[in-house]
Structure formats: structure tokens, C-alpha cells
Amino acid sequence: MKISLNWLKKYISLDMDPEKIGEILTDIGLEVEGMDQIESIKGGLEGLVVGEILTCEKHPNADKLKCTTVNVGGEEPLSIVCGAPNCAAGQKVIVATHGTTIHPIEGEPFKIKKGKIRGEVSAGMICAEDEIGLGTDHDGIIVLDNKAEVGTPASEVFEVTTDTVYEIGLTPNRCDATCHLGVADDLLAYLKINHELDGQVIRPDLGDLPPHENTLPFTIEVEDNVGCPRYTGMSFKNVKVGPSPQWLKDNLHSIGVRSINNVVDITNFILHTYGQPLHAFDADKVAGHKIVVCHLPEGTKFTTLDEKERSLRAEDLMICDGEKNGLCLAGIFGGISSGVTEETTNVFLEAAHFNGGMIRRSSTAHLLRTDAAKVFEKGSDPNITKEAMLYTAKLFQELCGAAIASEIYDVYPKKIERTKIELHYEKINRVIGIDIDKEEVHSILLALNMELKPVDQDSVQVSVPTNKCEVLREVDLIEEILRIYGFNKVPIPATIKSTINYEAYPNKKSIIQSIATTLSSNGFNEMMGLSLIEDKHVLPQLNLASEDLVYINNTSNIHLNIMRPEPMISGLISVLHNHNYQQKDLKLYELGRSYKTAEGGFTEKEFLTIFLSGAEKQEHWTNTGGSGQNLYSIKQWADWVLQRVGIHSFQADELEEARWDYGLSYRRGKDVLVKFGAVSSDILEHLDIKSDVFYAEFDLETLIRSIGGNKVKVAEISKYPGVRRDLALVLDESVAYANVQKAAHSLKSKILQNVNLFDIYKSEEHLGKNKKSYAIKLLFQDKDKTLKDKVVDKEIQQLIKIFEDKLGASIRS
């Protein structure tokens, strides 16, 4: 949001450095994100001078061009080729000479250069309004009064004013500061308390509604008083639509609003003065001269000013005519059939207060984030509509030559009163942290236009103005007091007190943060996949029925039409995106949710996923080959996560899910902790991923639940070396890895410390039909002595016999 200092100075007396004012605005919660010095005319008028056209003749090579000689006060007249139809000898004009940079209303600035146009020399340019930022007219060149002196700088002919404009980061709770008068109220309150400034905000001089005749009467009917608590309107005749005066253009230009015409500019001026959106209708296009505020049936078609046909929702509040034809999406955007045009002479003007929640839902649903909608959704002041209408009527008379053609219609069945809040002095001091004198508290509240009524010695009842619709609680009032008192006046204490809080273990947030931090510090990048995916990615391998999916009516991107039912696909889409940008070596993880339907409702499941692809280590002169990621790589990180959270015992099973070509799952009883392995080649082919991807999926709820009963055990690190032996077991396809582990531990060996699977191999040619090979690592270690080979060999032979007898295994050599 932009605030003009010159505009503010209309309402309060400010004799202060603009930077200091910016600091104060930030102090009162209107954070200044930028501050610019601007000129009322875009780019200024530097280098432009008054010239006199001495001769004007037809161009020999172009019918629509003219060759002129122009006196600009130099030693010799300038030859200039001009295409304006109104160009004539004897005119005083504005000339841009060679080397001058001009700033058109639209487009980028450009420099005037001497050259030839259709064979004739042109040493400058005779300017039109829009070419130098003075206005939008391009019908011809600017013709000055004959009294203008040749050689006079254009900046002396046209008044160029400078202004300071503040870019304010307006937070959603500051509905009172959406306009210049609202900011002036806040700024003056601060200056009264902290700079002893006297006075009041100088509001626009309205006077009474001048005498008029009801020559264009209207009827107002509000069917939904919740959606529209107040509707104010008025009609005007003989409205002359045309350009706005310079002062109005300058005001709007300062805050980045382009001048359209006097009617539109007045409504924009009122919006940024009062924070009251207005809407002007061509009165002759309103059937029956009747306004009906209502809802139209679901699916009704309505074409807005941007020429787009929209399908209305039953909840959308509409402004209709007497025949229930839609005129305007209430508080958001007008319709194409009733807008004001250059031919308009009779106008009906609307100033209303609409329900903020209803406006936000409609503007979001139709993707219409207009200035009016933003004001209404924050909360407009319901008690300002009539004042804004009176000021608008005055401007319509002055700037449009309009005649007031009706009374002010004001449908306001239930007045919205000030919110009353009981404020306790003790709580003010407790929340802010310092003692503020009661009288100072009263002064601050009165400066904010609040009304006070004593309750007792310890509290006061405060009536909050209706432009502060977000001030509903005692703590909101305290925030208002602190803003005006000054955040910087609250001292930083010499001592800091804190309370030690004990949290039940396991603490979900802490555990997730620990996992994420450690993965990131080990070279992983965290990703945040879209929760929306295309239903074409729901492949048979995912084992999902259509009724399991949560469909979304996504109007901004119709292809992303379902919430992701599982996390693999959305993660693989991120992998593909990286591969397409030549980022092949990936270590990614995500903490997120998946969504499914369940028993007429929806379920959300939290997960941790890990994706590996490409080289395991970065290519280096000592590692030119760069081994690729494999099953053991993803297993390492699955094991690490479990160890990190204190889970050391679990059962391992070979993974038999279509989402993976091969892999393992770890479980405790029926609770599956993690599944990991190589992503199905069919899924990779569907997504056009051309390299292997290894993937691990943790169910966070199960993971956290499984931590609860674990106790931390501390053991001395053995000072004797371990011995590793590897075995390749050829087994039937039906034998699970869990059976291998179980068989190995049945030996009840005191020195067998660990059994680990590091490779799975399948080949009918080399192993036989329905056979597979498990490569396992066996780690032996004695905590009391160094192991000898013969002791380990004996254990190995015993294990081989167990594998042969119990599993029907054979050993690959």
C-alpha cells in the first residue's frame, strides 16, 4: 500500500523531515518498506522547452507528415518532422531537442536523437501530452498560449510538484489504515502523545447536501442484510465524463494509480481518502431504476468488466437491477453491461458496507483480487458510507458538472455500534512489562478517537471506533496503547527470567527437527512437494481405487485435480524436474502429508521420505568413477533414521509392493516403520525418469509411537577389532530376508554382533528358476579378546549348515 505525504498534509499539519515521519509510521505498526521521492509529472520535464513553429509544410515523401522549422531560442531554428494533425505555423509548442530523455505515460523512457525521417532531417520532437507524461491525450501536439516565451523550460510552464511516497507493508489486522485519513488519525495520535502536537485531523469540508430535485429516483432493496449490513446510494444527471483536473491526477499518480477519467478518478480518490470503495453504474442501464442486493442461482453466467464470463456460486453476493439482472459482483468487480463509459450522462453511485468473509471467499473463488475486495475483506467502516457519499457528490458537481438527481438512499436496518471492551490497568502493565500511568493510558485512547467510561479504580470501559473492526479483545486494546506509547520506550530488562519446561518424551516436533537437521547437515536437500498432483499419475502400481482419491475443483490449474494419496509420485516429479536441469546426483528428503477419503470424510497421513539418485559421491580426481546409489545406500539412511530416534530392534522383510522393484521393510509386529528400495521401473518409465531412483518411506505416526517404550542403553566400546565375513546365499524366491536373520540368530552365538543384507540378485540364467541371491554381511566381535580366524571359521560353518538345513540355501562361491 502506498501513502502520499502531500496527501497526508491535507489532513494534519506536518512540519517534519520525511524520513522521521517514515520512522514514526514504522513505530506505530505501519512498517515502511520503501520511501521514494517522486514528481507529479512522470520523469519530470528536464530538457523540454517552449518553441514556436515558424514554418509548417507538407512532407515531400509522406502525406501524413509535415516538415517544420521551430525556434527554441537557439542560434538557428530546428528542422523537425511532425505527424500531428493539428500542427500549424505560429503555434507555441513543447519541444524535446536532441539528447533529451522523455518519459511517456506508457512504455519505457527514450532519448531524442537527430536523424532523418523519410529522407528529411529531424532534430527534435514536438510533443503530445502522453509523450511527456502530462496526460493520456494523443490526438495532437500540445498547443500553448501565445503569451508563452520561446526558450522557457517546460517545468516553468507546467507546475511540477514533488512528493514523498511511503510503501507500507499493511498487515491484515490494520483495517483502520487502508486509507490516508486512517493513517492520519494514527499518526496524529502518536504525535499528540510523543511530540505534544495539538489539533485535530482536518476532514474534508462537506457542508449540507445542496438543494436538488428528485429527477432520477431509485429504489433500493437489500435481501441479505448479513452480506450487506449497509447500502448507501445516490443518483446524478448530466454527468460530463472527461479528463480529471491536474490536482486529482497528481494525487492518484503519487500512489501509482493511473488516471482514467473524472468519474473513475473520483471513486479512486474517495477509496484512498476514506477507505470506502465506491461503484458507479450507468443509471440508464439499470432496469426499473431499482437496485437489488441478493444472491443468484448457482451457475448463473455473469460477464465482468474484463470481458470474462464467470459462473456464479450461490454464495456470491450480487448487485442486480429490478429484473434481477446481474450488474456487479458486490464489493469486487463490475459487470460489462452497466459500467460508466464516455457516453454516460446519468450515474447511480454506490457506497456500501459488505461482509468481509463473504467478499474474500467470492474474490478468491473468482480470482479477482481487486483493491475494493482487499478493503472489504479487511473490514471497511460501516459508519463512513454517508460521509464518503457527500464528499463524492461535491466532487461530482465540481469536476463533472453533475446535477444531484436524488436524495441519499441509506438502507441501514441495524446500526453497527462501537465495540465495548473492559480494560484493566493491571493487565496493561503485566502484558507490556512496565507501569504506564492511568492518565497517559486515557490520553492515548482518547487520541485514538476512543470513548471512555469509568468502571472502577482498576478498570475502564472503552468504546472502539467502528473503523477498528479487529480490536475485539482486551489484549487488542493493549496493543493499540503500546503502538502509540512507543515500542522503543519499553526498556530492555537487565535480567531475563525463564521457566524450565519439561515435555513428555517422545516430543514429535523435536524428533522431526532433529531428523531434518541431521539429514540437511549430511548433504541432503529438503524439498516441499505440491500436495496437488494430476490424477493421470495414479498408476496401477500404487494400488489405489478412484474412491480413495480426494478430488479438488482447482480453477487456477485444472490439471492438478487431486490431493496426493501417497508421497512417492510427487517426490519423483521433483526428481524429474532436477534431472531435466542436469542435476542428476540427488539426495532429497521431504516431511509432508498424504490424503485419502475415509468413511465419508478424509484422512491425512504424515510421512518422511528420502530419495537418492545418481552418484553416491561427488566426482573427484581420487574418485573418477563415482559409484552409483544402490539398495545399500538407501538402507544406510533408513537404518540411520531409526538409530537416530533410538529404534534398534525390528524385523526385516523383503518388500513385495508394486511401487518398488525390490527392497526391504522394517516392522515391529504389525507396525511398519519404513519401506525402502529401488523405485519400480514401470513408474520411472511413466514419468520419463531415465536413471535408477532409490526411495525410503517412513510413517511418522508409527515411528513416533514406536519410540515411546525405548530406553537409552550405554555400553562400552570394544577395544578389540571385529571380523567381517560375507556370504552369498542362493534361496527359493519365497524365502524372506527375515527368515535369514532369524536363522542366523538361532545359533545363539556370543560373538555374532550383526547380520546385514547388502545386495539382492535375481537371474534365472545364473541362479535357476524361482531363485534369488542374498548377499549378507556377518560381523563378529568379542569384547574380551581378539578373535582368531579358526574361531570365526567355525561359526561360519555352523551358520552355513543352519542356512542349508532350515532354508534350503546353497552358497555361491
Side-chain angles (χ1 to χ4, degrees):
M1 174 182 166
K2 291 183 178 180
I3 292 294
S4 157
L5 181 56
N6 287 350
W7 205 331
L8 280 179
K9 286 180 177 179
K10 295 178 183 179
Y11 312 126
I12 52 177
S13 177
L14 287 172
D15 185 17
M16 192 177 289
D17 181 72
E19 289 193 7
K20 179 61 178 176
I21 293 173
E23 292 174 6
I24 293 173
L25 289 172
T26 297
D27 285 345
I28 60 177
L30 302 174
E31 185 175 354
V32 174
E33 297 176 342
M35 187 174 79
D36 294 315
Q37 295 287 334
I38 68 163
E39 294 178 320
S40 57
I41 296 175
K42 185 178 178 182
L45 298 173
E46 186 176 354
L48 300 173
V49 296
V50 175
E52 181 179 4
I53 300 176
L54 302 177
T55 63
C56 181
E57 299 175 354
K58 183 180 176 182
H59 193 292
N61 303 318
D63 291 339
K64 293 185 178 180
L65 297 179
K66 297 173 183 178
C67 295
T68 69
T69 55
V70 183
N71 176 17
V72 293
E75 293 181 2
E76 297 288 337
L78 301 178
S79 296
I80 299 177
V81 176
C82 179
N86 64 331
C87 178
Q91 292 174 335
K92 297 288 182 68
V93 293
I94 296 296
V95 179
T97 56
H98 170 71
T100 299
T101 298
I102 65 173
H103 300 262
I105 283 289
E106 296 182 356
E108 296 298 317
F110 61 93
K111 185 176 286 189
I112 299 298
K113 296 179 181 179
K114 185 176 181 179
K116 287 188 176 183
I117 299 177
R118 296 289 184 91
E120 296 295 316
V121 173
S122 185
M125 175 173 158
I126 305 173
C127 302
E129 269 192 16
D130 65 331
E131 292 168 336
I132 58 174
L134 277 176
T136 58
D137 184 20
H138 193 69
D139 291 338
I141 56 174
I142 302 168
V143 179
L144 303 174
D145 190 289
N146 271 330
K147 294 179 181 178
E149 294 186 14
V150 170
T152 303
S155 57
E156 295 179 15
V157 178
F158 304 102
E159 185 179 352
V160 181
T161 59
T162 59
D163 194 2
T164 301
V165 177
Y166 304 98
E167 185 73 43
I168 289 177
L170 196 63
T171 53
N173 65 321
R174 294 306 309 275
C175 55
D176 59 321
T178 57
C179 60
H180 283 78
L181 276 173
V183 173
D185 282 335
D186 248 24
L187 187 56
L188 182 62
Y190 183 92
L191 294 174
K192 279 183 176 181
I193 300 302
N194 296 284
H195 292 265
E196 299 181 351
L197 183 71
D198 291 328
Q200 299 294 325
V201 169
I202 306 165
R203 301 184 77 83
D205 182 19
L206 302 177
D208 295 327
L209 193 65
H212 61 279
E213 295 181 5
N214 291 332
T215 55
L216 189 57
F218 265 71
T219 305
I220 313 295
E221 181 182 333
V222 179
E223 294 184 1
D224 182 358
N225 292 119
V226 174
C228 179
R230 187 176 191 181
Y231 191 94
T232 305
M234 193 175 187
S235 61
F236 301 86
K237 295 186 77 172
N238 304 322
V239 177
K240 295 180 179 63
V241 179
S244 296
Q246 195 60 43
W247 70 264
L248 182 53
K249 291 180 180 179
D250 289 348
N251 275 288
L252 296 177
H253 168 71
S254 68
I255 58 171
V257 177
R258 187 167 66 91
S259 174
I260 306 296
N261 58 50
N262 50 3
V263 173
V264 175
D265 290 356
I266 289 170
T267 61
N268 281 328
F269 179 73
I270 295 297
L271 170 64
H272 292 282
T273 297
Y274 284 99
Q276 175 59 57
L278 303 175
H279 192 79
F281 301 95
D282 188 324
D284 296 331
K285 297 176 182 177
V286 180
H289 287 172
K290 181 177 182 180
I291 295 291
V292 182
V293 184
C294 61
H295 299 270
L296 294 178
E298 182 86 24
T300 300
K301 302 301 180 184
F302 177 64
T303 304
T304 45
L305 279 169
D306 55 2
E307 300 183 358
K308 290 184 179 179
E309 185 180 78
R310 302 175 189 276
S311 182
L312 298 178
R313 307 172 312 140
E315 185 190 356
D316 295 330
L317 190 65
M318 294 293 295
I319 309 299
C320 299
D321 62 19
E323 298 174 0
K324 290 289 184 79
N325 299 310
L327 302 176
C328 176
L329 259 169
I332 302 172
F333 206 36
I336 197 166
S337 63
S338 60
V340 173
T341 66
E342 291 182 359
E343 289 75 37
T344 297
T345 57
N346 299 326
V347 170
F348 179 80
L349 194 67
E350 164 194 290
H353 172 67
F354 296 112
N355 179 286
M358 188 177 290
I359 296 299
R360 177 170 178 78
R361 287 189 293 274
S362 291
S363 69
T364 303
H366 294 289
L367 302 177
L368 287 169
R369 307 294 294 143
T370 59
D371 288 341
K374 291 174 185 177
V375 169
F376 282 126
E377 68 187 33
K378 280 185 172 68
S380 65
D381 184 355
N383 295 317
I384 204 72
T385 61
K386 198 168 183 178
E387 182 180 343
M389 183 63 76
L390 278 169
Y391 192 27
T392 307
K394 181 179 179 181
L395 293 175
F396 263 47
Q397 286 183 303
E398 291 177 1
L399 307 184
C400 306
I404 297 174
S406 77
E407 61 184 291
I408 294 180
Y409 303 106
D410 193 20
V411 180
Y412 197 13
K414 185 178 180 182
K415 185 178 180 181
I416 298 174
E417 303 288 350
R418 288 175 172 235
T419 301
K420 292 179 172 56
I421 303 170
E422 189 168 334
L423 180 65
H424 298 83
Y425 303 117
E426 179 274 332
K427 187 167 184 178
I428 298 172
N429 300 329
R430 178 159 48 86
V431 171
I432 296 178
I434 57 172
D435 291 336
I436 301 179
D437 184 72
K438 289 182 185 178
E439 292 305 315
E440 187 164 11
V441 169
H442 295 169
S443 297
I444 291 171
L445 294 172
L446 291 171
L448 287 168
N449 300 318
M450 299 190 185
E451 297 172 356
L452 308 182
K453 180 180 178 181
V455 176
D456 52 39
Q457 290 185 340
D458 300 320
S459 62
V460 63
Q461 186 188 79
V462 181
S463 295
V464 182
T466 49
N467 70 328
K468 294 182 180 290
C469 61
E470 294 289 339
V471 180
L472 303 171
R473 305 166 299 165
E474 187 176 18
V475 72
D476 299 329
L477 267 181
I478 295 170
E479 181 185 350
E480 292 291 291
I481 292 168
L482 181 56
R483 284 194 310 103
I484 303 305
Y485 177 79
F487 290 98
N488 293 332
K489 288 165 66 175
V490 178
I492 298 174
T495 58
I496 298 176
K497 299 177 181 178
S498 64
T499 303
I500 298 175
N501 293 321
Y502 295 92
E503 295 179 336
Y505 185 81
N507 179 269
K508 179 180 174 182
K509 184 177 179 181
S510 299
I511 289 168
I512 290 173
Q513 184 64 38
S514 172
I515 293 171
T517 300
T518 312
L519 283 172
S520 296
S521 62
N522 278 276
F524 280 84
N525 289 307
E526 183 175 4
M527 62 179 175
M528 297 179 69
L530 275 176
S531 293
L532 297 172
I533 65 169
E534 299 179 58
D535 60 0
K536 70 178 184 181
H537 294 317
V538 180
L539 305 174
Q541 290 87 345
L542 303 183
N543 194 28
L544 291 166
S546 177
E547 54 268 23
D548 294 332
L549 306 178
V550 180
Y551 283 89
I552 297 295
N553 181 21
N554 188 352
T555 55
S556 59
N557 190 332
I558 59 173
H559 301 292
L560 300 175
N561 61 341
I562 61 168
M563 304 291 285
R564 58 180 173 186
E566 57 79 54
M568 177 189 278
I569 293 296
S570 61
L572 288 174
I573 291 170
S574 296
V575 170
L576 175 63
H577 179 80
N578 280 275
H579 283 189
N580 289 341
Y581 282 85
Q582 303 306 311
Q583 299 297 318
K584 304 289 188 181
D585 303 332
L586 300 176
K587 294 170 70 177
L588 305 173
Y589 74 93
E590 181 182 9
L591 292 155
R593 297 186 179 192
S594 59
Y595 310 86
K596 290 183 182 178
T597 59
E599 298 177 358
F602 307 99
T603 60
E604 297 183 16
K605 195 172 182 181
E606 291 186 273
F607 59 77
L608 162 68
T609 57
I610 297 175
F611 291 84
L612 300 175
S613 78
E616 190 170 22
K617 295 180 180 178
Q618 285 189 339
E619 190 173 353
H620 188 261
W621 68 272
T622 61
N623 177 36
T624 55
S627 60
Q629 302 283 3
N630 52 49
L631 177 67
Y632 198 69
S633 306
I634 195 70
K635 180 181 182 300
Q636 172 192 356
W637 292 108
D639 290 346
W640 175 87
V641 169
L642 295 179
Q643 291 169 13
R644 181 73 183 174
V645 299
I647 297 177
H648 300 282
S649 59
F650 45 80
Q651 294 80 43
D653 300 314
E654 186 176 352
L655 196 54
E656 296 181 354
E657 274 193 36
R659 291 191 296 162
W660 285 268
D661 277 344
Y662 56 87
L664 295 172
S665 67
Y666 291 163
R667 62 179 173 82
R668 278 188 166 180
K670 294 183 179 180
D671 290 335
V672 177
L673 302 171
V674 60
K675 302 172 184 177
F676 60 88
V679 175
S680 163
S681 52
D682 291 334
I683 294 178
L684 296 180
E685 183 180 352
H686 168 78
L687 292 171
D688 200 26
I689 297 175
K690 295 180 172 56
S691 58
D692 292 337
V693 179
F694 293 87
Y695 168 69
E697 181 179 305
F698 293 84
D699 182 327
L700 280 179
E701 183 180 347
T702 303
L703 190 68
I704 301 298
R705 186 173 64 244
S706 300
I707 297 170
N710 294 331
K711 293 183 179 179
V712 177
K713 295 181 180 180
V714 179
E716 181 184 0
I717 298 174
S718 175
K719 48 190 175 181
Y720 299 102
V723 177
R724 170 177 170 164
R725 295 288 173 86
D726 295 343
L727 288 177
L729 306 177
V730 179
L731 300 157
D732 287 339
E733 188 80 52
S734 60
V735 178
Y737 173 68
N739 295 332
V740 176
Q741 279 192 315
K742 185 177 180 181
H745 289 302
S746 70
L747 181 61
K748 300 193 183 306
S749 169
K750 293 182 179 180
I751 62 173
L752 179 61
Q753 302 297 326
N754 189 258
V755 180
N756 221 331
L757 175 70
F758 66 87
D759 192 25
I760 301 173
Y761 177 66
K762 296 180 181 180
S763 171
E764 189 171 326
E765 179 183 350
H766 297 107
L767 301 178
K769 190 174 182 179
N770 297 325
K771 294 289 185 179
K772 63 184 175 184
S773 172
Y774 280 157
I776 61 173
K777 177 185 76 175
L778 302 164
L779 181 65
F780 299 92
Q781 191 174 40
D782 194 318
K783 64 179 182 179
D784 297 321
K785 60 181 180 293
T786 301
L787 288 174
K788 295 182 178 180
D789 284 345
K790 65 179 181 179
V791 175
V792 176
D793 290 343
K794 182 179 178 182
E795 294 268 329
I796 288 292
Q797 292 305 316
Q798 289 176 317
L799 284 170
I800 289 173
K801 188 172 189 320
I802 290 173
F803 293 146
E804 291 173 341
D805 292 346
K806 292 188 175 182
L807 305 177
S810 60
I811 308 299
R812 287 180 66 202
S813 56

